Amino acid sequence: MGRVSRALMILIAAISCSACGYNDLQGLDEDTKAAWSEVVNQYQRRADLIPNLVATVKGYAAHEKDTLEGVVQARAQATGVQITPEMLKDPAAFEQFQKAQAGLTSALGRLIAIAENYPNLKADQNFRDLQSQLEGTENRITVARKRYIDRVAEFNKMVRYFPTNLTAKMLLHLEEKPNFTVADERAVAKPPEVKF
């Protein structure tokens, strides 16, 4: 009789655990880490392309030294802020990472604007190839961030929904993960002004 009751208790425990979401939470946690790794991978790809782009522009626009140095400095700041999946639990570190990447995006915009003033540079095959790769990388970053946002949303729902929230908080000590935000929502809500 003792064996039967132990086997019955093990069966009940196994059935109960399947509803607690333990495995689902672990899977979603790994999915968010993998999605974050892809975001970082694309940011690294962009950082790797920048020195080549700067060197190409330097040859044509030597007097644009401040802008070129700004891009190099922004790249150094962006690559200096490394955030691991474990650091994603720290909203301040996540925000610092976002600001560094936004600074690099802004500096790249200024660099591309310089290129518009130099027809020979725009015609240079190396520059066009690098610019195309950089544009493609920016698109990849957008896609990777979207996938990360989706994974975080799914994970955060599991952490908040009952009964998996009990497993998340009490057993696994999981909290909601931060997501990407816009620094100034009012600024992006206004349509851009186009002047000719």
Side-chain angles (χ1 to χ4, degrees):
M1 189 69 161
R3 285 185 185 174
V4 173
S5 63
R6 272 188 254 161
L8 187 59
M9 287 178 63
I10 290 172
L11 180 64
I12 290 171
I15 291 171
S16 298
C17 284
S18 68
C20 74
Y22 181 88
N23 290 335
D24 292 336
L25 285 163
Q26 295 290 10
L28 287 173
D29 191 36
E30 289 303 315
D31 288 348
T32 58
K33 287 177 186 175
W36 178 252
S37 293
E38 182 57 22
V39 171
V40 172
N41 180 40
Q42 295 307 325
Y43 280 139
Q44 185 61 51
R45 183 177 194 274
R46 175 173 70 174
D48 292 343
L49 286 171
I50 290 171
N52 297 325
L53 188 64
V54 169
T56 303
V57 174
K58 227 182 231 185
Y60 284 92
H63 63 280
E64 301 286 359
K65 183 179 176 186
D66 291 343
T67 301
L68 295 172
E69 287 176 356
V71 170
V72 171
Q73 182 180 7
R75 178 189 179 270
Q77 287 175 343
T79 57
V81 179
Q82 296 297 321
I83 189 163
T84 63
E86 290 75 33
M87 289 176 65
L88 289 175
K89 297 173 186 170
D90 181 4
F94 191 77
E95 185 177 339
Q96 181 185 7
F97 181 82
Q98 278 187 267
K99 284 182 181 177
Q101 294 300 328
L104 181 55
T105 299
S106 175
L108 283 173
R110 289 189 299 276
L111 180 66
I112 299 302
I114 286 174
E116 297 297 319
N117 294 325
Y118 295 91
N120 292 339
L121 175 60
K122 289 194 313 189
D124 182 72
Q125 185 64 39
N126 289 335
F127 179 78
R128 286 188 314 200
D129 290 346
L130 287 167
Q131 187 177 16
S132 176
Q133 287 184 34
L134 200 55
E135 288 169 355
T137 299
E138 291 299 324
N139 289 336
R140 290 177 182 190
I141 289 170
T142 301
V143 169
R145 285 177 61 164
K146 170 70 171 111
R147 288 179 181 152
Y148 174 75
I149 288 167
D150 291 344
R151 293 283 77 85
V152 167
E154 194 175 344
F155 176 83
N156 286 349
K157 283 190 259 180
M158 284 289 287
V159 168
R160 293 180 65 200
Y161 286 175
F162 181 82
T164 55
N165 65 339
L166 300 175
T167 304
K169 302 244 191 275
M170 290 187 224
L171 184 61
L172 298 172
H173 307 290
L174 295 173
E175 297 293 328
E176 291 179 45
K177 293 184 185 284
N179 223 326
F180 285 101
T181 59
V182 175
D184 185 2
E185 289 186 30
R186 283 188 221 135
V188 297
K190 291 190 292 187
E193 291 182 31
V194 178
K195 295 181 182 178
F196 294 99

